[in-house]
């Protein structure tokens, strides 16, 4: 599960962070698909990926998003 990849001291904190990350990834995917501009779509995905990368341990966000 995504929660296992998120560093935190307690399982509850890992779970909360995983929910936040998954929500951001899903939102980025929805927005990226909704826009007509390919460059903007890519920028949305990369921006969220860059933010998520710092919260995960060696797990590229683009793999989780399957892009």
């Amino acid at each position: 599960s995504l929660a296992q990849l998120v560093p935190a001291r307690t399982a509850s904190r890992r779970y909360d962070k995983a929910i936040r990350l998954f929500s951001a990834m899903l939102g980025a995917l929805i927005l990226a698909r909704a826009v007509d501009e390919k460059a903007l779509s890519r920028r949305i995905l990369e921006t969220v990926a860059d933010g998520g990368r710092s919260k995960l341990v060696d797990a590229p966000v683009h793999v989780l998003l399957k892009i």
Side-chain angles (χ1 to χ4, degrees), residues 5-49:
L5 300 173
V6 180
R9 291 187 176 175
T10 66
S12 179
R13 292 286 284 168
R14 279 192 299 276
Y15 191 73
D16 290 346
K17 286 183 176 185
I19 290 171
R20 236 178 265 121
L21 280 169
F22 187 72
S23 297
M25 290 187 299
L26 183 58
L29 192 56
I30 291 168
L31 284 172
R33 289 183 174 180
V35 299
D36 291 332
E37 251 183 83
K38 188 170 184 157
L40 178 57
S41 176
R42 175 57 67 184
R43 186 172 183 172
I44 291 166
L45 295 173
E46 288 175 354
T47 299
V48 172

Side-chain angles (χ1 to χ4, degrees), residues 52-67:
R53 225 175 257 121
S54 65
K55 295 177 178 35
L56 296 177
V57 179
D58 297 327
V61 175
H62 71 278
V63 170
L64 297 172
L65 288 174
K66 298 193 185 319
I67 59 170

